[in-house]
Amino acid sequence: MLVNDILRKKRDGGELSADEISFFVDGLADVSIPAEQVSALAMAVFLNGMTSKEAGKLTMDMANSGVVLNWRDAGLEGPVVDKHSTGGVGDKVSFLLAPIAAACGCYVPMISGRGLGHTGGTMDKVESIPDYNATPDFSLFRKVVQDVGCAIIGQTEELAPADRRFYAIRDITSTVESVPLITASILSKKIAAGLDALVMDIKVGSGAFMSSMDEARELAGSIISTAAAAGLKTHALITDMNECLGTTAGNALEIAESMRFLAGDEREPRLNEVVMSLCAEMLVASSLEKDRDKALARTDAAVTSGKAAALFDRMVIGLGGPPDFVASHRQYLPVAPVTVAIHAAESGYLTAVDAFQAGNAIIELGGGRRQLGDTLDLAVGLSDVAAVGERVDDERPLAVVHASSEDAVAAARGLLLEACTVAAEPPAARPVICETMTAN
Ligand code: URA
């Protein structure tokens, strides 16, 4: 079989056969197909799409391109369930949700990705915890999940290696925003992780890969039906990503905000609602709770009781990190040498944010990748980010930039000012949970 023939067929809008997809996925995993041809196929699929049959086959082949985990013999006393987000700016939900869900009786083997395009990646963020082993071998990963109830790690060499390579190439070829490619990428990892149930956080808005509700519904529908065909029960929440989630964006800064949340010091309302709703949906999807209100009460109690914070500490210890991370995170996280508050040109209400540009400001600061293999500055980013609807003036900045130099601040300032719209009147309130979708 010739790769060129597969590329031509997809370029001309044809449907790839099962054998052609398997041939491509094998070549992705064993690197016998070079990056140029992988990029060409990604672009052809981006432009011409895939049928649900093609997307299902791509998903299963990528899932089976490496190890597939099996938790049945692990002696777990609850369901194996996870959440996955399609990616956004300031999205630190995983660090909160994993220990909260574990405190409620779920087992959460969370295998996360690196930053993609303008969005941050859970794996990059977790690496700002000193000595934290984000790529443990499977026996350690399994042990931490068994003992603690959750473990957040990065995608390893062994798990869905075909997606790992495809993801990295899509990241730098503007081919991320494709329903079949996102479906196959996400589900291949989740199927390989051996889950009983999955909750998807489909982000919609200026900082998301899906900018309209129609696109978000299409992606949610594609993921739910492809997962169902593979025997994985999946619920999806469509959540707002028209502004940074929470008050920080940037790797270590988001970890710090997450620790303040778990410690009960700061629960930014939009972030809180997204975390609680997704956690409650995990309890419902995995049949631990029938009633969403009761599930919400359980997830809230997991935070206020301090149980989730204690589990986060135990997870960090289990993976080699410091013993007192939640309480003492300030002493462990990297700090940027320059911090500057950025004020709007005129006082007024923040009425809109182009979250895509805010994400690009993080890349400009060195907190996200421009190209494959870039090393990140984990300390940089934004804190004290103003929420849409807040009044900004000489005292209340749009955000505080954390940077490695004054020059880097200048570049980020330009992007941030461009991203923010300030007006005399406050905007209408916008819901953060837009829709919940489940299989019929
Ligand atoms: N998250 C993933 O894991 N893959 C994508 O393609 C997009 C978001």
Side-chain angles (χ1 to χ4, degrees), residues 333-394:
L333 290 171
V335 175
V338 182
T339 52
V340 178
I342 308 294
H343 291 271
E346 284 173 22
S347 303
Y349 292 94
L350 182 61
T351 53
V353 175
D354 180 346
F356 175 74
Q357 285 291 51
N360 283 337
I362 310 292
I363 297 180
E364 196 60 53
L365 289 165
R369 282 179 195 82
R370 289 168 202 271
Q371 45 182 321
L372 212 59
D374 274 357
T375 305
L376 302 187
D377 183 342
L378 297 174
V380 301
L382 307 174
S383 71
D384 303 89
V385 177
V388 169
E390 238 184 283
R391 207 176 150 75
V392 288
D393 51 28
D394 288 349

Side-chain angles (χ1 to χ4, degrees), residues 238-320:
I238 300 178
T239 70
D240 181 77
M241 183 32 72
N242 282 298
E243 60 181 302
C244 171
L245 190 59
T247 60
T248 57
N251 299 289
L253 291 163
E254 291 185 40
I255 293 284
E257 183 182 358
S258 304
M259 295 311 102
R260 295 194 296 272
F261 188 114
L262 288 175
D265 297 336
E266 174 192 327
R267 286 171 72 174
E268 192 275 326
R270 290 174 70 254
L271 174 64
N272 187 60
E273 195 176 340
V274 171
V275 171
M276 293 298 137
S277 306
L278 287 166
C279 266
E281 203 60 36
M282 283 168 81
L283 302 194
V284 173
S286 60
S287 306
L288 275 180
E289 193 63 78
K290 277 202 181 84
D291 181 272
R292 279 194 177 77
D293 287 337
K294 284 192 186 144
L296 278 169
R298 275 173 74 174
T299 56
D300 190 60
V303 181
T304 53
S305 64
K307 208 171 162 193
L311 288 181
F312 193 91
D313 266 339
R314 283 180 52 199
M315 173 185 78
V316 170
I317 294 167
L319 290 166

Side-chain angles (χ1 to χ4, degrees), residues 16 33 38 92 106 119 146 167 181 196 208 212 223 236 242 244 253 258 285 301 318 339 357 368 387 427:
L16 300 181
I33 301 183
V38 174
K92 69 250 333 148
C106 299
T119 68
Q146 278 170 320
Y167 186 100
L181 294 184
D196 296 323
S212 71
I223 291 178
N242 282 298
C244 171
L253 291 163
S258 304
T339 52
Q357 285 291 51

Side-chain angles (χ1 to χ4, degrees), residues 84-86 116 167 170 182 185-186 189:
H84 192 88
S85 155
T86 52
L116 195 61
Y167 186 100
R170 287 168 55 221
I182 297 178
S185 168
I186 291 174
K189 289 177 286 230

